[in-house]
């Protein structure tokens, strides 16, 4: 159906795929996830999570509109502010403090709203930006939603646990067709919806972890570091490209091919290996706060930041070496053009040594 109505991504520019691939796949699995949520959630659980479900539905509609008719940055931001309002003001899901990090526990309500709003907008769009390789966004969201779903279950947040696992099911069904070589893309409909849901769940996870007592469930002493680990790839990627663009005197909002998945592909990795590599890194950064549950944010947060920076610098250096070696072993463009032209001439049945055969011409 998407092919019939020309809802497809054409290669070129920042698009690194080949062929005419249908987009808006997020329409299918997010709609299916909503159906699953309404099927599995009890009435009480629907009432507990109703503001989140409404906010997710609004973000879903923003993604659909952006896929159908590309929105300007201002229009998209305005559309994202509405679900953010539902989450902060109606659902009261927000960062209420620093939970002892830097000696700060509670923060003023207004500051809490500002920080939460900033995180909702920035992290939602950060996740949207990493949807540039086959299976990548789906793989990363599946890992984080699965971990959050398990944790929500053990701390008594059953409604959000069911929602998280339902999204896992929807994304897994989509990954069957989005894995390299992708037959369909999720589009902004999928990436904005998943990024928003994941950001809300991470904020809920961090705040619940930082304010709960140990008897309520598995409590981590480094909730901020754990939240960082759940979204390490989009967070690191956004900070990295913003810093690089600013240092080069470019607008940090100007799109290009400097995202982390672009660099891994330049290292010679295929789309599937990029998804597996970044998925493995995400698992590592999620596992560390859980394995070191007694270590607080004063130690674990800077450790994870330094580890992310070190891995990023290593990746950049390896990419640079690979590109340089590839340039040295690749013949000049003019030589490649000559070789290609010669091959085409030899394959052409009416051309021999660059001369048209007379007997193949229709003399009439």
């Amino acid at each position: 159906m998407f092919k019939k109505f020309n809802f497809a991504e054409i290669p070129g520019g920042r698009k690194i795929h080949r062929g005419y691939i249908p987009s808006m796949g997020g329409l299918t699995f997010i709609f299916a996830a909503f159906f699953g949520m309404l099927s599995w959630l009890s009435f009480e659980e629907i009432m507990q999570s109703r503001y989140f479900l409404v906010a997710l539905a609004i973000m879903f509609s923003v993604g659909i509109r952006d896929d159908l008719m590309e929105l300007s940055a201002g229009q998209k931001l305005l559309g994202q502010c509405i679900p953010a309002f539902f989450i902060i003001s109606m659902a009261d899901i927000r960062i209420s403090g620093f939970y002892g990090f830097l000696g700060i526990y509670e923060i003023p309500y207004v500051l809490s709203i500002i920080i939460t709003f900033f995180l909702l907008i920035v992290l939602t769009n950060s996740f949207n930006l990493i949807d540039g390789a086959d299976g990548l966004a789906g793989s990363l969201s599946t890992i984080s939603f699965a971990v959050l779903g398990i944790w929500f279950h053990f701390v008594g947040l059953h409604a959000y646990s069911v929602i998280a696992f339902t999204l896992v099911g929807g994304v897994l069904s989509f990954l069957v067709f989005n894995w390299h070589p992708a037959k369909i893309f999720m589009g902004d409909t999928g990436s904005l919806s998943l990024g928003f849901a994941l950001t809300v769940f991470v904020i809920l996870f961090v705040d619940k972890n930082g304010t709960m007592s140990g008897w309520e469930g598995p409590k981590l002493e480094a909730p901020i570091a754990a939240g960082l680990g759940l979204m390490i790839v989009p967070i690191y990627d956004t900070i990295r490209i913003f810093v690089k663009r600013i240092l080069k005197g470019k607008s940090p909002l100007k799109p290009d091919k400097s995202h982390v998945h672009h660099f891994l592909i330049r290292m010679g990795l295929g789309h599937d290996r990029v998804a597996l590599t970044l998925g493995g890194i995400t698992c590592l950064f999620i596992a560390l706060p859980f394995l070191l549950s007694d270590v607080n944010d004063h130690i674990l947060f800077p450790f994870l930041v330094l580890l992310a920076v070190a891995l990023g610098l290593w990746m950049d250096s390896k990419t640079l070496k690979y590109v340089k070696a590839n340039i040295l072993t690749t013949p000049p463009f003019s030589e490649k053009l000559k070789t290609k032209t010669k091959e085409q001439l030899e394959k052409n049945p009416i051309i021999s040594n660059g001369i048209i055969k007379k007997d193949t011409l229709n003399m009439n």
Side-chain angles (χ1 to χ4, degrees), residues 136-279:
L136 178 56
S139 298
L140 298 183
S141 60
T142 297
I143 294 167
S144 296
F145 278 130
V147 173
L148 288 165
I150 294 170
W151 191 84
F152 287 155
H153 173 75
F154 282 111
V155 299
L157 296 171
H158 298 296
Y160 291 103
S161 176
V162 171
I163 293 171
F165 281 123
T166 306
L167 287 170
V168 169
V171 176
L172 283 176
S173 67
F174 173 75
L175 271 177
V176 174
F177 305 97
N178 184 237
W179 197 254
H180 186 70
K183 299 179 180 65
I184 190 170
F185 297 143
M186 66 172 65
D188 284 349
T189 306
S191 58
L192 283 177
S193 300
L194 289 179
F196 178 73
L198 184 56
T199 302
V200 173
F201 282 4
V202 168
I203 291 173
L204 178 61
F205 166 82
V206 170
D207 191 64
K208 177 68 175 178
N209 227 312
T211 56
M212 66 185 275
S213 301
W215 57 267
E216 295 181 68
K219 177 179 173 61
L220 306 181
E221 294 299 323
I224 299 176
L228 172 68
L230 286 162
M231 294 194 74
I232 185 62
V233 173
I235 291 174
Y236 169 77
D237 182 54
T238 300
I239 294 174
R240 175 178 171 275
I241 60 175
F242 268 50
V243 170
K244 284 199 167 191
R245 289 171 186 173
I246 291 171
L247 291 177
K248 292 179 179 180
K250 299 179 180 179
S251 169
L253 301 177
K254 185 178 180 181
D256 56 24
K257 287 186 178 181
S258 60
H259 292 281
V260 63
H261 50 272
H262 292 137
F263 271 68
L264 290 173
I265 289 172
R266 289 192 191 105
M267 286 175 61
L269 300 182
H271 287 240
D272 49 352
R273 292 180 63 189
V274 169
L276 292 172
T277 299
L278 294 178

Side-chain angles (χ1 to χ4, degrees), residues 12-26:
R14 292 186 302 115
K15 309 296 182 182
I16 56 177
H17 66 278
R18 295 179 180 179
Y20 189 72
I21 310 296
S23 60
M24 288 186 69

Side-chain angles (χ1 to χ4, degrees), residues 102-124:
L102 301 177
I104 302 172
Y105 288 87
E106 292 187 14
I107 57 177
Y109 180 71
V110 175
L111 182 59
S112 171
I113 291 176
I114 294 172
I115 292 174
T116 306
F117 178 81
F118 175 80
L119 290 175
L120 283 170
I121 299 300
V122 172
L123 295 183
T124 297

